[in-house]
Amino acid sequence: MSIHLSRGAAQRRVVISCDVAGCPIQLEPPPIEAWRNDTDAKLWARDHAVGWTADQVRQTDYCPEHARFSSAATADLVPPRPTAAARDVAGNPLNRDEYTEGLRERLGRGDRSAGVLLTTTQAAVTALLLDELAGVYRGESLGTLAEELSALVRSHSRERD
């Protein structure tokens, strides 16, 4: 939950937003509430956000619908992390690790003989985008997949040259 303090007119207000990318859920306390300082406002908002959860390690907060993304990690369990753009039928973000597994399966089923022809420039740009994706998700299965695909695009591009 991102807490936004606005100082419009005479009163400040706190708007709480879910940290899942694209989640439209917001919570705004009644305007009658007034606080002496920003710390009090944040504490009050968190205390009154029923069903919202917080992940102190990642400094993120989630609405009741996405609370599963803040579950505490045990020694052998990695908490689910939402995708930024990929959604299920209901519009909820997918778990990045499950999404990566699905992509790997699709990649394995692909017909390699048909291939997709890219120009040398398109292949170079695609590889750079995949490298950027790998950097953003470094240490995650999605980042590893991006690195592998970048190497694959580069190798196919060199073979054609």
Side-chain angles (χ1 to χ4, degrees):
M1 110 184 87
S2 301
I3 299 172
H4 310 282
L5 297 170
S6 64
R7 298 174 195 248
Q11 289 191 350
R12 295 177 304 167
R13 62 179 239 243
V14 175
V15 177
I16 305 166
S17 303
C18 181
D19 280 334
V20 169
C23 180
I25 297 176
Q26 291 188 334
L27 175 69
E28 186 172 351
I32 194 168
E33 298 296 335
W35 301 280
R36 287 173 289 195
N37 61 47
D38 294 352
T39 303
D40 288 345
K42 291 176 183 180
L43 290 173
W44 188 94
R46 282 207 165 97
D47 287 345
H48 290 83
V50 178
W52 289 66
T53 58
D55 181 343
Q56 298 303 323
V57 174
R58 289 184 277 172
Q59 295 294 307
T60 53
D61 299 276
Y62 302 98
C63 68
E65 184 178 349
H66 297 115
R68 68 187 179 281
F69 291 117
S70 68
S71 55
T74 60
D76 59 343
L77 179 68
V78 175
R81 294 171 294 230
T83 54
R87 303 279 192 243
D88 64 13
V89 178
N92 295 312
L94 303 174
N95 177 313
R96 286 202 299 252
D97 296 326
E98 292 171 4
Y99 179 64
T100 303
E101 289 174 25
L103 289 177
R104 282 187 185 281
E105 287 176 18
R106 286 179 59 188
L107 192 60
R109 287 191 310 246
D111 181 10
R112 296 183 197 281
S113 63
V116 175
L117 295 178
L118 297 175
T119 67
T120 303
T121 304
Q122 289 171 332
V125 169
T126 301
L128 289 171
L129 284 171
L130 287 166
D131 288 340
E132 181 65 20
L133 180 66
V136 170
Y137 296 107
R138 185 179 316 277
E140 294 185 32
S141 56
L142 193 57
T144 304
L145 177 61
E147 284 179 35
E148 293 168 7
L149 289 175
S150 177
L152 184 64
V153 168
R154 281 195 173 90
S155 70
H156 284 309
S157 177
R158 286 186 198 116
E159 289 173 6
R160 289 194 331 219
D161 290 344

